[in-house]
Amino acid sequence: MAVTLRARAVLPMHGPPLDGGWVRIKGGRVVAVGRRRAAGPTIDLGDVLLLPGLVNPHTHLEFSKIPKPVPPQPPGGLAGWIPAAVAARRHAARDETAQAILSGLQESAAAGVTLLGEIATADPALSYPTHGVPRLRVFRECLGLGERRIEQSLASLRRSLDRLPASSAGISPHAPYSVKASLAATLVKLAAKQGLPVVVHLAESREEQDLIEQGTGAFRDLLESIGAWPSPPPQLLSAADWVSLACRAPRAAFVHASFLDRPTFDRLVRHRDRAAVIVCPRTALLISGRIAPVRELLAAGIHVALGTDGRGSAPDLSPLREAQALIDRGLASPQEALKMMTTSAAWAIGCERIAGRIACGRPADLVVLRPAEHSTDTYADALAPSTQVVMTLRSGRPIHPA
Ligand SMILES: [Zn+2]
């Protein structure tokens, strides 16, 4: 049976807000969208806004039990953050990965999220629930600079991909400082062959550039200290070459991009039909003190999406809070920020056919927001700090409140 949900406004995200709008749901899918009079059984949700479920395109849910962001040790820089975060995760969630992931998914549902792009370091099929929580596209992380590590990484990736349906799988070559050029090529070839999207952490820190350009610096010290720097030194790809390579996959998202140089920016522009940049403002500020050049990327026609990253570097898993960080700094309008966590975020992880907008035939993945403010800008009302997430629906059923 069909049911119609009516709201103060519906924000379909592929057209203007519909004041007095409604969405009709049948069999878990959207079957009609309109405004004013609706036929059939109608639930009036009252003074709320109805939006597509938010998409958080970049998380590390394994970190979800870390109570607050881990500061880099020593202060300043990614090379100091990585060992501190790994130690905190070990301490907070030893043998509790599945529990941390579930907790992160529940927190995401409460934040209005219905789809996540998740980075997994262990076999995803073992720890990710599939019902009663947001949908997932799980990117299996791979890294390796020495031959033994590379072999292990590839074997475990193949096991993971055998168990995951292609519609919810992806590959994440970790970062330019942790993936040898030959492994990068193998991973992207595999992604292209299987039609999978890729996600790469890119240009996150200055130290990354030092290592790639000179083979020295804080990352070299870190990698040597953990026995991960082989002899002879591995061939690494520049950020620009990563963009060209990864864009051989059907979709490639580059996370952070805080320290983009001109050649890398130009490659992103050239490949903008496949490339997206995922910005995680609060993480970028904590770790490197710098957010990607969002205005320039948007002006160049590049898809920019908004993610939270994991709880090792962000205080919560709320895309709405990330958007406020971006808006406060004048880097996005409320309308742009909402696009970054709906349509652009879905596109960044290759899920644009099922998520990111309210349209007929799509799963009824929706979020109901109650704004305290009533201005002429509905997008601004949706993103005001006082706005509350009332309900999150997946296929028309509430996943929050549970
Ligand atoms: Zn990340």
Side-chain angles (χ1 to χ4, degrees):
M1 188 166 105
V3 64
T4 300
L5 303 179
R6 178 197 288 286
R8 175 178 124 201
V10 172
L11 282 70
M13 297 311 296
H14 57 96
L18 305 170
D19 291 329
W22 50 261
V23 175
R24 187 172 301 136
I25 300 168
K26 191 177 179 185
R29 291 186 176 269
V30 174
V31 293
V33 184
R35 57 190 302 199
R36 311 262 187 257
R37 282 169 62 90
T42 300
I43 300 172
D44 193 342
L45 297 170
D47 188 18
V48 298
L49 306 175
L50 195 53
L51 285 82
L54 305 180
V55 180
N56 185 353
H58 188 65
T59 55
H60 299 259
L61 294 178
E62 293 167 30
F63 288 91
S64 298
K65 290 267 182 166
I66 294 179
K68 59 180 192 312
V70 180
Q73 285 301 338
L78 182 62
W81 179 82
I82 291 174
V86 169
R89 179 177 58 176
R90 215 168 271 149
H91 178 71
R94 190 183 299 155
D95 301 326
E96 293 176 344
T97 305
Q99 236 184 310
I101 287 170
L102 180 61
S103 152
L105 286 168
Q106 289 165 341
E107 181 184 346
S108 297
V113 172
T114 55
L115 170 67
L116 295 102
E118 156 73 347
I119 308 293
T121 60
D123 189 342
L126 303 178
S127 353
Y128 290 86
T130 52
H131 296 289
V133 290
R135 294 174 206 277
L136 286 156
R137 190 185 282 273
V138 181
F139 293 85
R140 182 67 163 86
E141 183 171 272
C142 284
L143 49 82
L145 298 171
E147 291 315 314
R148 243 189 66 193
R149 185 75 176 87
I150 289 174
E151 267 172 45
Q152 286 169 351
S153 209
L154 283 172
S156 109
L157 169 69
R158 291 204 172 94
R159 277 196 302 275
S160 295
L161 293 181
D162 282 347
R163 296 182 196 194
L164 281 175
S167 60
S168 54
I171 299 176
S172 177
H174 174 249
Y177 55 84
S178 59
V179 179
K180 191 180 172 178
S182 59
L183 174 60
T186 306
L187 295 174
V188 173
K189 208 168 152 188
L190 190 61
K193 192 172 156 213
Q194 301 205 7
L196 300 175
V198 300
V199 167
V200 187
H201 295 91
L202 192 82
E204 188 174 1
S205 67
R206 250 186 255 285
E207 296 98 314
E208 180 180 316
Q209 271 171 327
D210 295 343
L211 184 74
I212 291 160
E213 284 165 17
Q214 288 124 34
T216 57
F219 268 123
R220 169 79 182 263
D221 299 344
L222 169 66
L223 291 163
E224 276 183 344
S225 75
I226 58 171
W229 186 255
S231 172
Q235 194 200 339
L236 299 175
L237 295 177
S238 70
D241 286 343
W242 264 105
V243 173
S244 299
L245 177 69
C247 286
R248 291 182 197 165
R251 190 64 40 80
F254 302 97
V255 185
H256 300 306
S258 301
F259 294 83
L260 284 181
D261 55 18
R262 181 45 58 182
T264 310
F265 190 97
D266 291 344
R267 298 283 174 100
L268 285 168
V269 176
R270 190 188 305 166
H271 294 288
R272 66 191 161 190
D273 59 330
R274 291 189 173 204
V277 169
I278 299 176
V279 182
C280 308
R282 295 178 300 175
T283 290
L285 290 169
L286 174 81
I287 291 176
S288 64
R290 191 202 273 209
I291 299 177
V294 171
R295 296 308 323 159
E296 289 81 355
L297 290 165
L298 289 175
I302 295 164
H303 286 84
V304 178
L306 196 55
T308 62
D309 216 324
R311 261 177 163 273
S313 55
D316 55 52
L317 298 174
S318 170
L320 293 169
R321 300 285 99 84
E322 294 291 347
Q324 281 147 12
L326 217 51
I327 293 166
D328 288 350
R329 285 165 183 78
L331 291 172
S333 70
Q335 185 175 354
E336 287 170 332
L338 268 175
K339 188 179 172 202
M340 289 180 199
M341 53 180 136
T342 53
T343 46
S344 297
W347 193 87
I349 57 170
C351 292
E352 66 273 18
R353 289 200 188 92
I354 60 154
R357 54 180 66 186
I358 300 178
C360 291
R362 287 166 173 253
D365 292 359
L366 306 166
V367 59
V368 181
L369 300 179
R370 178 172 293 126
E373 313 206 356
H374 287 71
S375 72
T376 50
D377 183 347
T378 315
Y379 297 106
D381 292 351
L383 284 181
S386 53
T387 294
Q388 301 207 330
V389 176
V390 179
M391 199 194 302
T392 309
L393 303 168
R394 172 180 170 175
S395 295
R397 291 169 184 267
I399 53 171
H400 169 79

